[in-house]
Amino acid sequence: MFIQTEATPNPEVLKFLPGREVMAEGSRDFRDAEDAKASALAADLFDIEGVTRVFFGPDFVTVGKHPGHDWPHLKAPILAAIMDHFTSGRPLFEDAAEAAGHDADVYEGETAQIVAEIKDLLDTRIRPAVAQDGGDILFNRFDAATGVVWLHMRGACSGCPSSSATLKAGVENMLKHYVPEVTRVEQTL
């Protein structure tokens, strides 16, 4: 098994491509070792000193590190943990853990149509581009009264120094262009 690595715009996050599907649908973000108990792979990665975050995408795993640790020292044990997991045949999750997707709040009338347009743009244009950098952006909510869209940044995007610029210059401009009811985009924490 050959696992490729790619740098991300976030210097504290590295993207690992195992050359096979990681998650069939959605994505999953693990912010700490407690969250990681749902997945043997995530738990194994958090057992490596210096690992602070793990994110599963469709065909990649991104791993965040503490700023005091260097990638040359962390890369080998991370690669070994990923390889061991995929060659063992163990399932990604211990139980039927859910993959995360857009929040499923129910909107009605014209607001429902606006939210559908926002989600469609996210899914077809924005999320594929963000996934190339090892992250994901999910719809959180839309305030019809103010026109504000709230998005959740995950994986390499979470905590990335350039995430604010991506959110404002890229995502906000695109959403405002195609969905005139959108006035601003904000990030949920």
Side-chain angles (χ1 to χ4, degrees), residues 102 118-128 139 151:
H102 298 298
I118 292 167
K119 288 180 178 180
D120 184 58
L121 279 169
L122 286 170
D123 290 341
T124 59
R125 297 197 174 196
I126 297 167
R127 291 179 72 198
F139 175 83
L151 301 175

Side-chain angles (χ1 to χ4, degrees), residues 102-116:
H102 298 298
D103 281 1
D105 290 344
V106 176
Y107 295 87
E108 295 183 12
E110 186 179 327
T111 303
Q113 180 60 35
I114 294 167
V115 169

Side-chain angles (χ1 to χ4, degrees), residues 105-183:
D105 290 344
V106 176
Y107 295 87
E108 295 183 12
E110 186 179 327
T111 303
Q113 180 60 35
I114 294 167
V115 169
E117 290 176 32
I118 292 167
K119 288 180 178 180
D120 184 58
L121 279 169
L122 286 170
D123 290 341
T124 59
R125 297 197 174 196
I126 297 167
R127 291 179 72 198
V130 172
Q132 289 184 345
D133 286 336
D136 199 4
I137 296 180
L138 297 174
F139 175 83
N140 180 266
R141 67 186 182 276
F142 174 66
D143 184 341
T146 62
V148 176
V149 175
W150 293 87
L151 301 175
H152 187 68
M153 313 236 345
R154 304 174 66 193
C157 295
S158 181
C160 176
S162 62
S163 67
S164 294
T166 298
L167 196 62
K168 291 296 182 184
V171 177
E172 182 174 275
N173 287 341
M174 181 178 286
L175 288 178
K176 286 167 70 174
H177 176 78
Y178 288 103
V179 185
E181 294 83 358
V182 172
T183 61

Side-chain angles (χ1 to χ4, degrees), residues 75-96:
K75 216 166 152 180
I78 292 170
L79 286 166
I82 294 170
M83 185 175 299
D84 287 348
H85 176 80
F86 284 107
T87 57
S88 75
R90 291 183 297 170
L92 192 59
F93 295 102
E94 299 303 320
D95 56 20

